[in-house]
Amino acid sequence: MSKALVVFSGGQDSTTCLFWARKNFDQVTALAFQYGQRHYNELNAAREIAAEAKVPFHTAEINLFSRISPNALTDHSMEVDRMATENRPPNTLVEGRNMLFLTYAAIFAKAHGIDQIVTGVSQADYSGYPDCRNDFIRSLNQTLNLSMEVEFTIHTPLMWLDKSEVWKMADDLGVFEIVRDQTVTCYHGITGSGCGSCPSCLLRQRGLEKFLSGKKAVATP
Ligand code: ZN
């Protein structure tokens, strides 16, 4: 029996991955992290979506990011950058976040007899976060295998997809409405289409428009 653990946040990407995993593995578990993010609303959304998907849901706390490296997602006094500046990614980058999430996920997975790990990182449509890139994920996969003597496979189904293609994947999986209405991607923690103006909402919205216009073009010859 194939068993997968999904690193799950209740956002568009990881929700799409959750349903992708349900289609591709016999048994799926979701693990969400409480890491001092601005809005617990996303954890509530994650819990509800996992329940709807009938996937066991676990949470783990990693609460030290804001103490050791300032970033706008966990330091609530910082303004969220609108975009990347010339020399650095936007301040919504939480240094090392994916590395730690995947490391804790692997520890959890080993303890539960799971060897497949799924994460929604993407190289194609992000602001240059280094730990979302394929090279890093492949390197960490090898390191985790060596560190725990398990043949983990880290799956990244969204790695080369832009946001419109992520919407298409949700649609193909039959969960377009769940992703559109129940996920939280907004930096202000607003469910569904969000505040409409933060960088995360704009990215999501542009992807949705591109996906919907492509769909319309196919439907009307
Ligand atoms: Zn927003």
Side-chain angles (χ1 to χ4, degrees):
M1 182 193 279
S2 59
K3 293 184 184 179
L5 179 68
V6 179
V7 179
F8 187 50
S9 72
Q12 176 187 0
D13 297 337
S14 67
T15 299
T16 306
C17 285
L18 186 78
F19 287 98
W20 177 88
R22 252 195 20 175
K23 188 182 164 205
N24 288 287
F25 302 101
D26 300 321
Q27 208 176 84
V28 176
T29 302
L31 178 63
F33 291 98
Q34 202 278 86
Y35 62 96
Q37 60 267 62
R38 287 177 175 238
H39 299 286
Y40 293 129
N41 198 22
E42 56 180 88
L43 278 182
N44 293 334
R47 186 174 287 107
E48 283 168 22
I49 293 165
E52 204 166 324
K54 297 188 171 49
V55 166
F57 178 75
H58 299 262
T59 56
E61 282 186 31
I62 317 175
N63 253 333
L64 45 68
F65 288 112
S66 60
R67 270 184 278 142
I68 58 176
S69 172
N71 68 82
L73 285 196
T74 62
D75 183 338
H76 303 198
S77 65
M78 279 169 78
E79 283 275 327
V80 170
D81 275 351
R82 292 261 153 214
M83 58 189 70
T85 56
E86 238 172 69
N87 303 317
R88 60 167 178 82
N91 64 3
T92 47
L93 168 66
V94 184
E95 294 285 4
R97 178 173 57 170
N98 283 321
M99 183 174 70
L100 285 176
F101 282 6
L102 286 164
T103 303
Y104 281 106
I107 296 167
F108 179 100
K110 184 174 181 184
H112 290 77
I114 300 169
D115 59 359
Q116 309 294 310
I117 299 170
V118 182
T119 172
V121 296
S122 165
Q123 181 159 339
D125 215 357
Y126 275 84
S127 321
Y129 294 179
D131 62 354
C132 289
R133 293 179 193 140
N134 193 52
D135 281 353
F136 164 71
I137 298 291
R138 304 281 68 94
S139 159
L140 182 66
N141 197 155
Q142 200 174 7
T143 298
L144 291 173
N145 291 359
L146 291 170
S147 72
M148 287 180 235
E149 293 195 311
V150 175
E151 281 301 305
F152 292 116
T153 303
I154 301 180
H155 298 269
T156 54
L158 313 185
M159 182 58 78
W160 308 108
L161 305 185
D162 71 14
K163 270 282 183 280
S164 73
E165 293 166 319
V166 178
W167 283 109
K168 182 177 186 309
M169 182 185 278
D171 196 38
D172 292 343
L173 289 163
V175 293
F176 175 78
E177 275 86 11
I178 293 177
V179 174
R180 187 191 57 194
D181 301 337
Q182 293 175 235
T183 60
V184 178
T185 355
C186 174
Y187 287 145
H188 302 289
I190 301 166
T191 309
S193 53
C195 73
S197 61
C198 77
S200 187
C201 281
L202 293 175
L203 189 66
R204 173 178 167 131
Q205 186 58 29
R206 275 196 296 266
L208 181 59
E209 281 163 15
K210 189 175 161 199
F211 163 67
L212 291 174
S213 66
K215 214 175 156 172
K216 214 163 129 194
V218 174
T220 43

